[in-house]
Amino acid sequence: MIHRMPITRRAALAGLGTVLAAPAIRPSFAQAAPIKVGVLHSLSGTMAISETALRDTVLMMVEWINGRGGLLGRRVEAVVVDPASNWPLFAEKARELLAVSKVDVTFGCWTSVSRKSVLPVFEELNGMLFYPVQYEGEEESKNIFYTGAAPNQQAIPAVEYLMSADGGEAKRIALLGTDYVYPRTTNRILRAFLNSKGIPDADIMEEYTPFGHSDWQGIVSRVKRFAGEGKKTAIVSTINGDANVPFYRELGNQGIKAEDIPSVAFSVGEEELAGIDARPLVGHLAAWNYFMSVDSPVNTEFKAMWQAYIKNPRRVTNDPMEATYTGFRMWTQAVTQAGTTNVDAVRAAMIGQKVDAPSGFNQEMRANHHLTKPVMIGEIQADGQFNTVWKTPTVIAAENWSPFIPENANRRRG
């Protein structure tokens, strides 16, 4: 008889199985000051639904690296702040982390407006930020490493899929987004892309709503009318935060089924679906670079590690968590290679770092501070998981300067 040992929190954090090198059995730390990791995620407000799990992911990785003996013989210590979904407060908290707590690296932000709020602070104080969420591109900073997707690694492939035979051959697109820079810039790129594919502006609907928006009846009704004019229609959603809960509820209330008007989301993953009844949404889509359902050895270990850490076998993983994990792994490799936490030295060591990620692909940090990533389209299942219906055969290099923005003609991409 084979006796299977249960995966404990200690075992999961210590080893990640055969994927990672064996950890130290009894960590012993030098007397030097700890290495400080800043955690800059909203734990309250409209974005807490998405960002709290990222806080916990960083804390899990801090515990994991300490279980392996720390970094450079020093304990790693997390410094957590709550910018509370308040964009100016993000900048204040970033300055607090860098100037007062003197963190060596920061993992944080979700929305682009929060990232843009803190970017001048990180550049002024020469800090290092790992940003783990898909975004609109049009940015490149020596002080930020972007571990989420650029538009060519998520938005454009998703719309191409909707227009394909497998995706329903959509001829009209409803662009629904939260009213801030990421949705507006992404939709500017998508409108130009759609125009280049022969879809005129008359067949593109574009609507924006505030953060935390809850009354979706009128907008969903307009989408139904837009779709009822004789052309196959799809929804592309850049709605962020807790506004997704009433949006999806209203789709169900108005009987919008995936076979009639498919919706593809760029900011809805397993964590957001965990808070709603997913059964009316079966068949609707999301585009990411990772799903919890990915079948890979690293993902099996990642999920076990997370559920053991959080002490809940039902807690899900998602794409920004995977990007946080991958970025943290790369940072520890770069610190080890550089032999220091000095930002300039670690920055140089980051380029070319590779990690076998839970996505099932080996990902590399390129010179533009963006990761190579696979692209996946997943269908929502009744249990809130995703069934991958399409994915790229290999990783895609990020184009952080989109060719569909005219002023980027002479920008370096990829």
Side-chain angles (χ1 to χ4, degrees):
M1 179 182 295
I2 298 175
H3 296 278
R4 298 186 182 277
M5 295 295 291
I7 297 176
T8 65
R9 183 168 183 254
R10 180 184 298 274
L13 291 168
L16 277 181
T18 59
V19 178
L20 305 180
I25 296 175
R26 293 184 179 276
S28 177
F29 299 102
Q31 295 303 308
I35 293 171
K36 293 185 179 181
V37 173
V39 185
L40 185 63
H41 281 301
S42 295
L43 310 179
S44 56
T46 188
M47 293 307 302
I49 186 176
S50 298
E51 293 194 66
T52 300
L54 300 190
R55 181 272 315 268
D56 293 336
T57 304
V58 179
L59 295 180
M60 176 184 74
M61 296 307 294
V62 167
E63 187 167 316
W64 166 76
I65 195 62
N66 283 331
R68 292 167 53 84
L71 272 175
L72 309 179
R74 297 160 61 190
R75 177 176 291 278
V76 178
E77 176 182 292
V79 181
V80 179
V81 295
D82 178 16
S85 306
N86 180 320
W87 319 134
L89 188 57
F90 265 88
E92 292 180 29
K93 292 297 183 180
R95 187 172 296 277
E96 176 185 319
L97 287 171
L98 293 170
V100 179
S101 298
K102 299 196 179 298
V103 299
D104 298 282
V105 66
T106 300
F107 292 81
C109 300
W110 180 293
T111 67
S112 285
V113 66
S114 66
R115 188 194 67 256
K116 287 187 176 296
S117 176
V118 306
L119 187 152
V121 179
F122 277 88
E123 291 187 337
E124 174 195 343
L125 300 178
N126 196 30
M128 179 177 290
L129 173 69
F130 281 78
Y131 177 66
V133 185
Q134 85 292 345
Y135 82 120
E136 70 282 357
E138 309 310 298
E139 187 174 293
E140 189 170 330
S141 170
K142 70 183 181 67
N143 294 92
I144 300 180
F145 286 95
Y146 306 79
T147 57
N152 73 303
Q153 295 172 311
Q154 185 194 38
I156 288 176
V159 172
E160 286 182 311
Y161 177 79
L162 291 174
M163 296 169 65
S164 72
D166 288 342
E169 297 182 303
K171 305 297 183 185
R172 303 193 104 185
I173 301 292
L175 303 173
L176 306 183
T178 303
D179 193 5
Y180 75 106
V181 62
Y182 162 62
R184 284 191 175 274
T185 305
T186 298
N187 289 337
R188 180 187 177 196
I189 291 169
L190 288 179
R191 182 179 287 272
F193 171 75
L194 289 166
N195 291 163
S196 77
K197 296 296 183 180
I199 294 184
D201 285 339
D203 288 329
I204 303 171
M205 171 183 172
E206 195 167 346
E207 295 255 5
Y208 296 96
T209 48
F211 279 98
H213 187 71
S214 59
D215 182 6
W216 289 96
Q217 186 174 356
I219 291 174
V220 172
S221 295
R222 288 196 289 278
V223 171
K224 288 183 73 173
R225 290 195 297 271
F226 183 67
E229 296 174 2
K231 293 183 180 181
K232 291 184 177 180
T233 301
I235 299 169
V236 173
S237 169
T238 47
I239 300 165
N240 262 259
D242 55 10
N244 278 291
V245 175
F247 168 68
Y248 277 104
R249 186 181 297 123
E250 189 60 33
L251 290 184
N253 290 345
Q254 297 201 27
I256 292 184
K257 298 180 179 179
E259 56 264 35
D260 301 321
I261 309 174
S263 172
V264 62
F266 300 161
S267 296
V268 172
E270 294 86 346
E271 185 75 3
E272 289 76 17
L273 290 179
I276 61 177
D277 179 5
R279 288 174 295 180
L281 307 177
V282 169
H284 286 295
L285 306 167
W288 290 103
N289 314 102
Y290 162 87
F291 291 115
M292 184 176 179
S293 57
V294 164
D295 183 13
S296 78
V298 182
N299 192 37
T300 298
E301 300 286 355
F302 175 53
K303 291 186 292 185
M305 180 186 188
W306 167 245
Q307 291 169 348
Y309 174 80
I310 212 70
K311 297 181 180 179
N312 184 347
R314 297 182 179 179
R315 281 293 298 274
V316 297
T317 58
N318 65 18
D319 182 287
M321 291 170 63
E322 192 250 12
T324 298
Y325 163 90
T326 301
F328 195 99
R329 287 274 314 279
M330 285 187 172
W331 172 72
T332 63
Q333 291 173 184
V335 169
T336 301
Q337 179 179 316
T340 177
T341 57
N342 175 271
V343 167
D344 294 330
V346 175
R347 178 190 300 119
M350 274 294 299
I351 308 306
Q353 291 294 338
K354 297 180 180 179
V355 164
D356 286 326
S359 65
F361 291 79
N362 184 270
Q363 297 180 203
E364 180 182 359
M365 183 61 69
R366 304 293 289 269
N368 63 359
H369 285 209
H370 288 68
L371 281 179
T372 59
K373 301 176 79 72
V375 186
M376 304 177 188
I377 309 292
E379 280 187 348
I380 297 174
Q381 305 296 290
D383 61 358
Q385 291 293 311
F386 291 88
N387 175 44
T388 302
V389 296
W390 179 87
K391 68 178 179 180
T392 54
T394 187
V395 293
I396 306 298
E399 286 187 341
N400 53 311
W401 302 107
S402 174
F404 293 100
I405 299 287
E407 52 266 37
N408 286 346
N410 297 317
R411 292 274 197 180
R412 176 171 59 84
R413 292 186 290 273

